[in-house]
Amino acid sequence: MIIRETDRLRIRGWSETDRDLFAEINSDPKVMEFFAFRRSRVESDALFDRIGRGISETGFGFFALALRDSDTPIGFCGLALTDLEPHLPNGTIEIGWRLALPFWGNGYVTEAAAALLDYGFAERSLGEIVSFAVPANTRSTAVMKRLGMRPDPSRDFDHPRVPDTHAHLKRHVLYAITADEWTRLAGEAGV
């Protein structure tokens, strides 16, 4: 299942051959720098299966991100239902990403995320999409800004699944964009 294609990328459903890449990014200390823990292969495989089930059941989730020409997986990017009550109401859609280290610095995440924002607003009729990260994760917040998302400090929160032993990773800043804001930005860009 292909969700979207861009000039360089394919956003698609996961295949069994993607498990190794998924495990690699979930255990890489640099990729996971702003997360409280790395995942073992067993934990990564369980998450891989859970994400696949979620996509099948709802159409939302973190999709595989692959190079368009070769279909080589490089990470993931997706629109996912959050599960962070009371910080974010049920039904809130988050855009998120994770990319294998060799593919950093090429603009792939911004390209994929822009395509998914368009998909979320144009095809899924979403009213708003949010993203959140540890404030020190300036790579991710820079992507949010490039996408036209705006910070919403009134909705910043302490992530309930980050243990107190990692207090420096608890606080998350939230960025958001509405369908109207995206439509206006797309119009200004001539898309």
Side-chain angles (χ1 to χ4, degrees):
M1 150 185 68
I2 295 174
I3 305 303
R4 279 286 171 105
E5 287 187 325
T6 68
D7 289 343
R8 302 182 297 164
L9 302 169
R10 178 171 293 137
I11 304 163
R12 60 167 172 74
W14 293 96
S15 68
E16 281 300 312
T17 58
D18 298 329
R19 279 187 189 271
D20 289 343
L21 179 275
F22 191 77
E24 174 189 327
I25 60 177
N26 284 301
S27 64
D28 186 298
K30 187 70 175 161
V31 173
M32 299 297 287
E33 176 181 4
F34 297 103
F35 293 84
F37 58 91
R38 318 303 165 247
R39 286 188 169 83
S40 69
R41 180 59 189 246
V42 170
E43 292 166 332
S44 183
D45 282 346
L47 179 60
F48 183 93
D49 293 337
R50 190 166 65 245
I51 288 172
R53 281 192 306 274
I55 291 170
S56 293
E57 292 168 5
T58 67
F60 289 109
F62 296 113
F63 305 110
L65 184 57
L67 297 175
R68 184 174 178 170
D69 292 342
S70 63
D71 202 42
T72 301
I74 63 171
F76 65 75
C77 190
L79 300 171
L81 291 161
T82 61
D83 181 17
L84 292 172
E85 283 278 359
H87 307 291
L88 295 172
N90 284 335
T92 299
I93 301 292
E94 162 201 5
I95 189 165
W97 45 80
R98 204 169 295 162
L99 198 63
L101 194 57
F103 301 98
W104 287 16
N106 295 296
Y108 291 139
V109 167
T110 302
E111 185 176 327
L116 283 173
L117 286 175
D118 190 66
Y119 167 76
F121 292 129
E123 294 181 35
R124 299 300 302 259
S125 302
L126 299 174
E128 178 187 62
I129 297 172
V130 304
S131 193
F132 45 87
V134 172
N137 188 350
T138 56
R139 290 185 306 273
S140 280
T141 56
V143 171
M144 295 171 202
K145 291 173 189 173
R146 282 193 296 275
L147 293 169
M149 300 182 87
R150 60 183 156 63
D152 188 347
S154 69
R155 295 164 73 186
D156 292 353
F157 63 97
D158 288 342
H159 202 297
R161 290 194 290 272
V162 175
D164 291 338
T165 55
H166 292 76
H168 66 291
L169 299 176
K170 280 187 93 60
R171 193 68 179 167
H172 280 62
V173 293
L174 185 135
Y175 282 67
I177 189 166
T178 65
D180 289 342
E181 290 166 334
W182 179 253
T183 300
R184 180 181 49 77
L185 287 171
E188 290 171 3
V191 177

